[in-house]
Amino acid sequence: MLKFSTLALVSVLALTACQKPGPQLGPDGQPLPVAYRITGREEAQIPGRVLGQINALRANIGAPAMVQNPMLDAASKAHARDMAAQNRAWHFGSDSSSPLDRVRRQGYSGQLVGENISETYENELTTLNAWMQNRDTRDIMMDPRATELGIGWYQEPSGKIWWVLITGSAGYAPGGFGGGQVVASAGL
Protein backbone atom coordinates (compact mmCIF):
# COMPACT_ATOMS: atom_id res chain seq x y z
CA MET A 1 0.00 0.00 0.00
CA LEU A 2 2.87 2.35 0.81
CA LYS A 3 4.38 1.79 -2.66
CA PHE A 4 1.05 2.65 -4.31
CA SER A 5 0.69 5.88 -2.25
CA THR A 6 4.25 6.89 -3.04
CA LEU A 7 3.73 6.16 -6.74
CA ALA A 8 0.49 8.19 -6.77
CA LEU A 9 2.17 11.14 -5.02
CA VAL A 10 5.12 11.11 -7.41
CA SER A 11 2.73 10.96 -10.39
CA VAL A 12 0.73 13.95 -9.15
CA LEU A 13 3.92 15.94 -8.53
CA ALA A 14 5.21 15.06 -12.00
CA LEU A 15 1.96 16.16 -13.65
CA THR A 16 1.92 19.39 -11.65
CA ALA A 17 5.46 20.18 -12.77
CA CYS A 18 4.43 19.73 -16.42
CA GLN A 19 1.57 22.23 -16.26
CA LYS A 20 2.15 25.75 -17.50
CA PRO A 21 1.67 28.38 -14.84
CA GLY A 22 -1.64 30.22 -15.10
CA PRO A 23 -1.79 33.89 -16.00
CA GLN A 24 -0.86 36.36 -13.33
CA LEU A 25 -4.00 37.94 -11.86
CA GLY A 26 -4.51 41.59 -11.00
CA PRO A 27 -6.37 42.99 -7.97
CA ASP A 28 -9.67 42.66 -9.86
CA GLY A 29 -9.10 38.94 -10.38
CA GLN A 30 -8.63 39.41 -14.14
CA PRO A 31 -5.46 38.27 -15.92
CA LEU A 32 -2.81 40.98 -16.20
CA PRO A 33 -1.98 41.90 -19.79
CA VAL A 34 1.28 40.54 -21.12
CA ALA A 35 3.24 43.05 -23.16
CA TYR A 36 3.49 42.07 -26.81
CA ARG A 37 7.04 42.37 -28.11
CA ILE A 38 7.59 43.31 -31.73
CA THR A 39 10.50 41.31 -33.13
CA GLY A 40 12.63 42.31 -36.09
CA ARG A 41 10.93 39.69 -38.22
CA GLU A 42 7.46 40.96 -37.30
CA GLU A 43 8.40 44.56 -38.14
CA ALA A 44 8.46 43.58 -41.79
CA GLN A 45 5.18 41.64 -41.51
CA ILE A 46 3.03 44.12 -39.58
CA PRO A 47 2.24 46.50 -42.48
CA GLY A 48 1.05 43.64 -44.68
CA ARG A 49 -1.07 42.13 -41.91
CA VAL A 50 -2.68 45.49 -41.17
CA LEU A 51 -3.38 46.17 -44.84
CA GLY A 52 -4.76 42.65 -45.36
CA GLN A 53 -7.08 42.82 -42.35
CA ILE A 54 -8.40 46.27 -43.21
CA ASN A 55 -8.95 45.34 -46.86
CA ALA A 56 -10.81 42.18 -45.83
CA LEU A 57 -13.08 44.27 -43.60
CA ARG A 58 -13.58 46.87 -46.35
CA ALA A 59 -14.49 44.14 -48.85
CA ASN A 60 -17.37 43.14 -46.56
CA ILE A 61 -18.96 46.56 -47.04
CA GLY A 62 -18.05 46.97 -50.71
CA ALA A 63 -15.36 49.62 -50.08
CA PRO A 64 -12.37 49.60 -52.42
CA ALA A 65 -9.12 48.05 -51.26
CA MET A 66 -6.39 50.37 -50.02
CA VAL A 67 -2.67 50.25 -50.79
CA GLN A 68 0.29 51.01 -48.56
CA ASN A 69 1.79 54.46 -49.05
CA PRO A 70 5.41 55.00 -47.89
CA MET A 71 4.82 58.72 -47.21
CA LEU A 72 1.86 57.93 -44.94
CA ASP A 73 3.96 55.21 -43.28
CA ALA A 74 6.72 57.74 -42.60
CA ALA A 75 4.26 60.29 -41.15
CA SER A 76 2.73 57.55 -38.96
CA LYS A 77 6.09 56.34 -37.66
CA ALA A 78 7.27 59.87 -36.86
CA HIS A 79 4.10 60.65 -34.93
CA ALA A 80 4.19 57.36 -33.00
CA ARG A 81 7.70 58.18 -31.78
CA ASP A 82 6.66 61.75 -30.96
CA MET A 83 3.63 60.58 -28.94
CA ALA A 84 5.95 58.33 -26.93
CA ALA A 85 8.28 61.27 -26.28
CA GLN A 86 5.29 63.35 -25.12
CA ASN A 87 3.91 60.38 -23.17
CA ARG A 88 0.38 61.00 -24.42
CA ALA A 89 -1.68 59.78 -27.32
CA TRP A 90 -3.05 62.76 -29.16
CA HIS A 91 -3.15 64.18 -32.65
CA PHE A 92 -0.82 67.13 -32.16
CA GLY A 93 2.93 66.80 -32.42
CA SER A 94 5.37 68.25 -29.91
CA ASP A 95 5.92 71.00 -32.48
CA SER A 96 2.11 71.64 -32.62
CA SER A 97 1.88 69.84 -35.98
CA SER A 98 -1.43 68.38 -37.08
CA PRO A 99 -1.87 65.13 -39.04
CA LEU A 100 -2.22 67.29 -42.16
CA ASP A 101 1.10 69.03 -41.42
CA ARG A 102 2.84 65.69 -40.95
CA VAL A 103 1.62 64.13 -44.21
CA ARG A 104 2.57 67.32 -46.10
CA ARG A 105 6.09 67.15 -44.61
CA GLN A 106 6.46 63.70 -46.09
CA GLY A 107 5.45 64.96 -49.55
CA TYR A 108 2.01 63.35 -49.63
CA SER A 109 -0.02 64.97 -52.43
CA GLY A 110 -3.33 63.24 -51.74
CA GLN A 111 -6.14 64.19 -49.40
CA LEU A 112 -5.93 63.25 -45.74
CA VAL A 113 -8.95 61.16 -44.72
CA GLY A 114 -8.11 60.51 -41.07
CA GLU A 115 -5.79 59.34 -38.33
CA ASN A 116 -6.27 56.72 -35.62
CA ILE A 117 -3.95 56.58 -32.62
CA SER A 118 -3.51 54.29 -29.66
CA GLU A 119 -1.21 53.49 -26.78
CA THR A 120 -1.31 49.88 -25.70
CA TYR A 121 0.71 46.80 -24.84
CA GLU A 122 -1.09 44.75 -27.50
CA ASN A 123 -0.33 43.77 -31.07
CA GLU A 124 -1.61 45.43 -34.24
CA LEU A 125 -4.52 43.03 -34.75
CA THR A 126 -5.85 43.60 -31.23
CA THR A 127 -5.48 47.34 -31.80
CA LEU A 128 -7.35 47.11 -35.12
CA ASN A 129 -10.10 45.17 -33.36
CA ALA A 130 -10.39 47.92 -30.72
CA TRP A 131 -10.57 50.55 -33.47
CA MET A 132 -13.33 48.56 -35.17
CA GLN A 133 -15.35 48.60 -31.93
CA ASN A 134 -15.47 52.42 -31.93
CA ARG A 135 -17.60 54.09 -34.58
CA ASP A 136 -15.30 57.09 -35.11
CA THR A 137 -12.12 55.07 -35.56
CA ARG A 138 -13.93 52.42 -37.62
CA ASP A 139 -15.20 55.15 -39.95
CA ILE A 140 -11.62 56.28 -40.64
CA MET A 141 -10.62 52.78 -41.77
CA MET A 142 -13.85 52.02 -43.65
CA ASP A 143 -14.29 55.40 -45.39
CA PRO A 144 -14.76 54.54 -49.08
CA ARG A 145 -12.85 57.71 -50.05
CA ALA A 146 -9.67 56.25 -48.51
CA THR A 147 -7.44 54.56 -51.07
CA GLU A 148 -4.11 54.56 -49.21
CA LEU A 149 -2.90 53.96 -45.69
CA GLY A 150 0.17 54.29 -43.57
CA ILE A 151 0.88 52.43 -40.35
CA GLY A 152 3.53 53.30 -37.82
CA TRP A 153 4.44 52.33 -34.28
CA TYR A 154 7.02 52.87 -31.63
CA GLN A 155 7.65 50.35 -28.87
CA GLU A 156 9.17 51.59 -25.63
CA PRO A 157 11.57 49.41 -23.62
CA SER A 158 8.69 48.87 -21.14
CA GLY A 159 6.73 47.17 -23.94
CA LYS A 160 4.18 49.98 -24.44
CA ILE A 161 3.39 50.45 -28.11
CA TRP A 162 2.24 53.72 -29.67
CA TRP A 163 0.24 53.01 -32.85
CA VAL A 164 -0.68 55.47 -35.62
CA LEU A 165 -2.76 54.69 -38.70
CA ILE A 166 -3.27 57.38 -41.35
CA THR A 167 -5.63 57.04 -44.30
CA GLY A 168 -5.67 59.18 -47.40
CA SER A 169 -7.09 59.48 -50.86
CA ALA A 170 -4.58 59.21 -53.72
CA GLY A 171 -3.94 62.10 -56.04
CA TYR A 172 -4.69 65.75 -55.66
CA ALA A 173 -8.18 66.53 -54.43
CA PRO A 174 -9.98 69.80 -55.22
CA GLY A 175 -9.53 72.15 -52.32
CA GLY A 176 -6.18 70.65 -51.32
CA PHE A 177 -5.85 68.71 -48.10
CA GLY A 178 -9.16 69.70 -46.52
CA GLY A 179 -11.96 67.48 -45.40
CA GLY A 180 -9.81 65.23 -43.28
CA GLN A 181 -11.48 63.60 -40.32
CA VAL A 182 -9.25 63.17 -37.29
CA VAL A 183 -10.26 60.98 -34.40
CA ALA A 184 -8.40 60.19 -31.20
CA SER A 185 -8.46 56.65 -29.89
CA ALA A 186 -6.01 56.77 -27.04
CA GLY A 187 -5.66 54.14 -24.39
CA LEU A 188 -7.11 51.20 -26.31
Side-chain angles (χ1 to χ4, degrees):
M1 182 71 168
L2 183 58
K3 288 182 183 182
F4 179 73
S5 298
T6 304
L7 181 59
L9 179 62
V10 169
S11 297
V12 168
L13 290 175
L15 287 173
T16 304
C18 293
Q19 291 181 345
K20 293 181 182 178
Q24 200 173 14
L25 301 180
D28 60 357
Q30 296 298 315
L32 292 174
V34 176
Y36 170 74
R37 289 283 176 189
I38 298 173
T39 66
R41 180 178 177 194
E42 287 178 315
E43 283 187 24
Q45 296 172 350
I46 289 172
R49 287 194 302 242
V50 168
L51 182 63
Q53 286 294 316
I54 291 175
N55 281 339
L57 293 166
R58 289 171 63 87
N60 289 332
I61 62 166
M66 288 195 279
V67 296
Q68 202 83 30
N69 182 291
M71 291 172 276
L72 296 178
D73 284 339
S76 296
K77 288 175 186 172
H79 190 53
R81 184 174 283 276
D82 190 48
M83 286 191 310
Q86 295 181 69
N87 197 33
R88 65 177 170 180
W90 73 323
H91 294 284
F92 294 98
S94 56
D95 61 356
S96 300
S97 62
S98 69
L100 184 56
D101 296 329
R102 292 188 295 275
V103 299
R104 280 183 176 161
R105 272 188 210 146
Q106 296 301 325
Y108 186 67
S109 62
Q111 184 176 15
L112 173 69
V113 174
E115 176 181 78
N116 287 347
I117 60 176
S118 180
E119 66 178 292
T120 184
Y121 290 89
E122 298 172 325
N123 68 21
E124 75 282 1
L125 298 179
T126 303
T127 302
L128 283 174
N129 184 46
W131 284 337
M132 285 300 292
Q133 301 307 312
N134 177 292
R135 181 182 173 152
D136 292 334
T137 53
R138 179 178 57 246
D139 287 352
I140 296 231
M141 296 184 296
M142 298 296 111
D143 191 320
R145 296 175 299 159
T147 59
E148 301 177 310
L149 70 79
I151 183 74
W153 63 89
Y154 175 75
Q155 186 163 36
E156 296 179 353
S158 69
K160 183 188 282 188
I161 307 171
W162 302 84
W163 294 100
V164 178
L165 175 88
I166 299 176
T167 59
S169 178
Y172 182 77
F177 288 86
Q181 176 183 14
V182 179
V183 176
S185 55
L188 296 178

